[in-house]
Amino acid sequence: MTHGETVRAAIEELRKALGSLENALDMRFDREREHGEVEGEVRRVNADRSRLAQELDQSEFRANRLEEVNREVSRRLVTAMETIRAVLDR
């Protein structure tokens, strides 16, 4: 192999190595970008979960309050019906 052929072969090997390096860098950047996208999605899911948990707590509070009011209304209706019966029975 002549000196010129050796240099050309070395240059070709260098080109292949640089191409491999570029591919590896591209793959790394793609993984980093995907990782960033996943982290963003996790943040959004956590924010949604927090919001939904708060809404659930508020709904449970309202449901408990409505249940209390319902019991009170029921108690008053029973009292009113008993009063009406007592009046009608006289």
Side-chain angles (χ1 to χ4, degrees):
M1 191 177 272
T2 66
H3 180 67
E5 290 173 344
T6 304
V7 170
R8 279 191 283 277
I11 290 173
E12 185 59 33
E13 288 296 318
L14 183 59
R15 283 187 180 136
K16 288 178 184 178
L18 287 173
S20 294
L21 178 61
E22 286 177 1
N23 288 337
L25 286 172
D26 287 344
M27 288 172 38
R28 173 66 187 249
F29 289 143
D30 288 344
R31 281 195 308 271
E32 290 292 325
R33 187 184 72 248
E34 289 171 2
H35 181 70
E37 290 171 358
V38 168
E39 284 180 347
E41 184 64 21
V42 167
R43 281 193 297 276
R44 285 188 294 276
V45 167
N46 284 334
D48 285 346
R49 185 199 57 76
S50 294
R51 179 183 53 79
L52 291 171
Q54 185 177 15
E55 288 177 8
L56 178 61
D57 289 344
Q58 291 171 350
S59 294
E60 287 176 343
F61 175 79
R62 283 192 298 264
N64 290 337
R65 182 69 183 123
L66 286 172
E67 190 175 317
E68 291 171 11
V69 168
N70 187 32
R71 279 194 296 269
E72 178 62 20
V73 167
S74 182
R75 186 189 63 75
R76 289 182 183 189
L77 282 173
V78 167
T79 302
M81 288 187 303
E82 288 172 352
T83 302
I84 290 171
R85 250 189 229 116
V87 168
L88 291 175
D89 289 343
R90 288 187 198 173

